[in-house]
Amino acid sequence: MYRVLSLQEDFATEKPMIQHYIESHGHVCMFLPKFHCKLNPIKLLWGYAKYRYRKASDGKFTTVKVLVPQCLDMCETLTIHWFFCKMWRYMDAYRKGLDSHQTAFVVRKYKSHRCVGLPNEIIALMES
């Protein structure tokens, strides 16, 4: 059924209700790829919270109920900003046609800006 509906032009071009609501209030609604964790800062935030939880957990359920909200709240706004910057670097690298190995290299190499270098510069850096 999903395949049939996805091929219908009116169904494919229709905006979801949440998108209409967000845009009607003057905001931009941006949907991210569902399964690509490098392009989704929420996945990075969840990974950060799980890391903090594992360091503090004793494995008891009563502790879990207290720790999970605390671990989710531990992430500072600046850290979330870094997650978004990392996402922009991945998007820029993929947009420039780099493969996954080259993209992983440039995301580690270029830290201060949203964009990465040109593909020929990146290949030269990887070979040196």
Side-chain angles (χ1 to χ4, degrees):
M1 183 69 170
Y2 175 77
R3 177 85 174 127
V4 172
L5 287 175
S6 68
L7 295 175
Q8 299 298 319
E9 184 179 335
D10 60 337
F11 184 79
T13 58
E14 185 177 345
K15 291 182 181 180
M17 188 184 302
I18 187 80
Q19 187 173 359
H20 282 292
Y21 180 80
I22 291 170
E23 290 174 351
S24 70
H25 285 79
H27 300 286
V28 175
C29 181
M30 181 175 71
F31 291 103
L32 301 170
K34 292 181 182 176
F35 302 110
H36 199 306
C37 61
K38 304 292 186 197
L39 299 179
N40 194 340
I42 295 168
K43 296 280 187 179
L44 296 173
L45 173 63
W46 185 245
Y48 180 88
K50 287 193 301 187
Y51 170 77
R52 293 291 186 177
Y53 168 76
R54 286 186 194 118
K55 290 185 89 168
S57 176
D58 62 0
K60 296 179 181 172
F61 185 71
T62 54
T63 311
V64 171
K65 291 194 303 187
V66 173
L67 277 180
V68 168
Q70 288 177 356
C71 291
L72 286 169
D73 291 338
M74 277 183 187
C75 193
E76 297 177 4
T77 306
L78 184 60
T79 305
I80 295 170
H81 172 76
W82 290 337
F83 293 158
F84 273 91
C85 288
K86 186 174 186 175
M87 178 198 64
W88 282 110
R89 287 193 299 271
Y90 270 101
M91 288 173 58
D92 187 49
Y94 285 130
R95 206 176 290 126
K96 290 179 178 170
L98 300 176
D99 65 21
S100 60
H101 297 292
Q102 294 167 336
T103 299
F105 174 78
V106 297
V107 168
R108 284 192 307 269
K109 178 76 176 159
Y110 294 92
K111 298 279 186 186
S112 63
H113 301 289
R114 287 187 178 173
C115 61
V116 297
L118 298 173
N120 55 357
E121 294 173 358
I122 293 163
I123 294 169
L125 274 171
M126 288 179 75
E127 292 174 353
S128 63

